[in-house]
Amino acid sequence: HIHSAPKPPKEIDPTIPEDFQAVVLKCMQKRADDRYQTAAELVSDLERLAKGQTPVLAFTDPAGLRHGATVMRTPEFKRERQRHQVLIAGAVVLVAASAVTAWALMTRTPAATSTARGAPERTVVITAHGSDPAAAETLLASHQFADARRLAQDELRATPKDATWLALLAKIDQAQGEAALIQAQTALDKGDIASAGTAAASARALIPDAPQLKTIEAELTRIEGERGQRTRMLAEADNLLSEGSAAKAEALLAGLAAQAPDDVAVANALRRARAARESADALERAVREQVAQGQQALERKDYDAAQLAFTSAKQLDPKNAVASVGLDQVTQAKQAINAAREQFDSALKARDLTTAEARLADLRTLAPGSPQVVLAEAALANSRLADDDVKRQTEEREAQVSNEAKALLAKLDDLTIALPVLEKSVQDFVGQRAGRPEAPLLTRRLDDRRARAQVQALFSTLDQAVVAHDTAAIARLVADTDFATRLGKLGTYQGVVFASTLTEFVRSDADAAGGERGTAKISLRQALATYPEKKLTYLFDLRRQDGAWRIASAHLQP
């Protein structure tokens, strides 16, 4: 394990108790200063294991020992190492992989409930543990000292300077100490010196200045000497250490050491208690720092940093209530963020940019500046760029098609282009671009060209019929009998010239009978042998029925 952290024994065999693992990892720390300093120290922890008690020195850095990590120190907690003293760790650097794993597990949660408009709403507020002091008072009144003390200590982890709980803890010490004095006096009256000495040692750890305690200790000393009481006080110090009350154990042993400054066993016990108390203080400070960092991260909505800090606090102090509440708040916030992001992604996938923008606004509110927001902003920007590109391409295609339609309309107006060529062009355009708004207009204009060609053929036939004096043909072409009669007479004259040129043609809507109508403007070149040639302009009303155009009426234009 020179180059990497040793694997915790529980990873190899989960049945290995935590206390045994702590002793093993204490022995395997990389730095010599972090291991047991003497064989006596190791033996003291092994003896406690043999008695089923929690080792003291093995837990000078619980987080580091549980994970096999190298203990790190900050200047705030550094001290000069003295002979036979253990340099205590003040802060523990968490292994990054543990934090990442914890983050992955905690974010794998169901989506948060959304509001009516689809935006998840979460209020992230760190709350105190919230136990009622009256509950501790009730436990105290029923002499359940351990439970009352545990409740007060849990609250003080969250708020170390809470005057109410500090006063209540002092009250618990006083009541438990007085109860111990009563037990000691009762045992002493019965002649049970051993029980009286044990109870007196417990009282000394709680109310060392009680006058009755001094009386009882004086009587015990008179009866059996100092050695028996010393043994009981050492045992009580061990009990206090196993309960996590290192400060009380240190105070108890300090008084004993003052009475017997040359007692090696008492000095060693005091050193262990002091080391445990310093370690507990450092651990408590580290927990408070992590909790404070987590709360600050929550306030600025940096949930990854908050989760890392609260997870660190929980690893250092698994019972820390504020860290538990903070992790719950982080989980709720991340659920809300994930829900908003899922709704954003769904809207973006459906190309609903309005809804996507609204969900992005929710994300900005829930986690301003977070990677989720940055990624969502980039996705929305890319989507807009893609939409703009599609829109630009669509507009370009639209302009191109529109220009093609305009060019085709211009060709339909060009009388020099043959009708079959125009028919193919219009057919290709309409066939390839079904549904285009230009298609009906092109089709109508093509029909106009066809009708114009038919009308042009009509007047060419009429010209031939007039010159040939073919009255039957004239009658088929001209519905206006009066005009048809005059045209028939015109063909009887010598040297007749009758040549029509279609200059304008306009097709109109069908009439009530369903036949097509149209107006043709004709430039007529007319002459006889006895009359000079002249040009006349006629306006013809046309009708088409059964596929053939006929002249309904003729109007000579001035």
Side-chain angles (χ1 to χ4, degrees):
H1 77 293
I2 294 175
H3 302 293
S4 61
K7 180 178 293 188
K10 289 180 71 66
E11 291 186 13
I12 301 171
D13 182 357
T15 63
I16 293 175
E18 186 77 17
D19 292 344
F20 282 72
Q21 172 171 275
V23 173
V24 172
L25 291 176
K26 177 76 172 177
C27 294
M28 296 178 68
Q29 289 298 299
K30 296 182 185 302
R31 289 168 44 91
D33 288 348
D34 297 329
R35 298 194 290 269
Y36 290 104
Q37 298 302 293
T38 66
E41 288 185 357
L42 175 58
V43 169
S44 67
D45 269 359
L46 293 177
E47 288 176 343
R48 293 186 66 82
L49 287 177
K51 296 176 182 178
Q53 299 174 345
T54 300
V56 175
L57 296 178
F59 285 106
T60 53
D61 182 61
L65 292 173
R66 281 177 173 79
H67 296 279
T70 300
V71 178
M72 304 296 293
R73 292 169 173 74
T74 62
E76 180 183 357
F77 301 133
K78 268 188 177 178
R79 293 182 179 179
E80 290 297 326
R81 180 178 177 275
Q82 299 177 355
R83 183 179 177 85
H84 305 303
Q85 289 185 333
V86 180
L87 190 60
I88 306 302
V92 179
V93 177
L94 294 178
V95 180
S98 300
V100 172
T101 302
W103 177 85
L105 291 174
M106 294 194 67
T107 54
R108 198 176 302 162
T109 55
T113 303
S114 301
T115 63
R117 77 182 189 93
E121 293 184 354
R122 296 288 181 184
T123 301
V124 180
V125 178
I126 283 293
T127 59
H129 192 196
S131 295
D132 188 353
E137 290 279 7
T138 300
L139 293 171
L140 180 58
S142 60
H143 287 195
Q144 298 181 52
F145 301 119
D147 291 337
R149 185 183 304 281
R150 188 178 303 109
L151 186 60
Q153 288 174 339
D154 287 345
E155 291 300 324
L156 287 171
R157 286 194 186 96
T159 53
K161 296 182 180 180
D162 189 306
T164 300
W165 287 104
L166 286 172
L168 186 54
L169 187 60
K171 188 175 180 180
I172 294 169
D173 287 347
Q174 183 67 33
Q176 188 175 0
E178 289 174 354
L181 281 179
I182 292 173
Q183 293 175 0
Q185 186 63 58
T186 301
L188 190 60
D189 292 343
K190 293 179 179 180
D192 187 353
I193 304 305
S195 297
T198 299
S202 297
R204 172 168 283 279
L206 298 168
I207 48 174
D209 297 327
Q212 186 181 0
L213 173 62
K214 295 179 180 179
T215 302
I216 293 173
E217 287 181 334
E219 182 64 16
L220 289 171
T221 300
R222 184 187 66 78
I223 294 173
E224 64 171 359
E226 295 180 355
R227 185 168 185 78
Q229 188 60 12
R230 164 190 169 282
T231 302
R232 296 186 186 95
M233 291 178 70
L234 286 174
E236 178 60 21
D238 283 344
N239 289 334
L240 290 170
L241 285 175
S242 64
E243 294 171 358
S245 300
K248 285 184 171 58
E250 181 183 10
L252 179 63
L253 292 169
L256 189 57
Q259 296 173 7
D262 298 327
D263 192 317
V264 176
V266 172
N268 287 338
L270 176 59
R271 180 173 55 79
R272 289 196 299 271
R274 183 174 291 119
R277 191 264 304 160
E278 291 175 350
S279 176
D281 290 347
L283 181 63
E284 185 178 349
R285 286 194 296 270
V287 171
R288 284 201 300 268
E289 289 173 2
Q290 292 297 326
V291 168
Q293 290 176 15
Q295 291 173 323
Q296 292 167 6
L298 271 183
E299 290 175 0
R300 65 177 184 269
K301 297 184 178 180
D302 185 353
Y303 300 114
D304 289 337
Q307 187 169 48
L308 185 62
F310 287 133
T311 300
S312 173
K314 286 287 288 182
Q315 288 185 340
L316 294 172
D317 181 8
K319 295 182 179 180
N320 189 276
V322 178
S324 297
V325 173
L327 286 174
D328 289 342
Q329 298 287 354
V330 170
T331 299
Q332 293 174 9
K334 288 199 171 188
Q335 286 176 346
I337 293 169
N338 290 339
R341 181 57 196 268
E342 287 176 3
Q343 293 168 3
F344 170 84
D345 291 340
S346 297
L348 206 59
K349 185 177 181 180
R351 314 306 299 170
D352 183 357
L353 297 188
T354 301
T355 301
E357 181 65 48
R359 298 293 79 77
L360 178 57
D362 294 334
L363 281 172
R364 290 191 181 112
T365 300
L366 290 167
S370 69
Q372 290 274 35
V373 172
V374 174
L375 292 174
E377 288 174 340
L380 183 59
N382 290 336
S383 181
R384 283 191 177 128
L385 288 175
D387 281 359
D388 291 344
D389 190 47
V390 169
K391 183 178 180 181
R392 178 183 57 77
Q393 293 177 1
T394 301
E395 290 174 349
E396 290 177 353
R397 286 195 298 270
E398 180 69 21
Q400 179 182 356
V401 173
S402 179
N403 291 333
E404 290 179 6
K406 291 178 181 178
L408 190 50
L409 286 171
K411 288 182 179 180
L412 288 169
D413 290 336
D414 188 350
L415 300 178
T416 62
I417 301 176
L419 183 59
V421 174
L422 294 174
E423 288 178 333
K424 184 176 185 311
S425 297
V426 172
Q427 182 180 3
D428 290 344
F429 183 93
V430 174
Q432 294 173 4
R433 298 171 177 84
R436 289 289 306 180
E438 300 92 345
L441 177 60
L442 289 171
T443 301
R444 179 176 176 80
R445 294 288 291 276
L446 179 60
D447 287 342
D448 288 345
R449 277 297 303 268
R450 287 174 178 149
R452 184 186 181 94
Q454 291 173 351
V455 170
Q456 183 69 58
L458 164 67
F459 286 111
S460 296
T461 303
L462 180 62
D463 290 347
Q464 296 172 6
V466 170
V467 172
H469 187 54
D470 187 347
T471 55
I474 293 172
R476 287 194 302 273
L477 299 174
V478 182
D480 186 341
T481 55
D482 182 57
F483 184 57
T485 300
R486 283 181 300 179
L487 290 177
K489 288 181 179 181
L490 184 63
T492 62
Y493 295 103
Q494 293 292 325
V496 63
V497 175
F498 194 88
S500 303
T501 301
L502 180 63
T503 58
E504 293 182 13
F505 173 70
V506 177
R507 220 166 39 112
S508 57
D509 296 333
D511 58 19
E516 283 190 75
R517 300 169 56 193
T519 302
K521 191 173 184 179
I522 298 296
S523 176
L524 179 64
R525 187 168 60 86
Q526 182 178 322
L528 297 174
T530 56
Y531 291 98
E533 181 178 311
K534 60 180 179 180
K535 286 188 177 182
L536 302 174
T537 301
Y538 276 88
L539 191 65
F540 291 96
D541 290 330
L542 306 176
R543 300 286 188 278
R544 185 168 75 170
Q545 288 182 324
D546 300 328
W549 287 95
R550 296 183 71 193
I551 300 172
S553 62
H555 308 279
L556 181 64
Q557 300 294 298

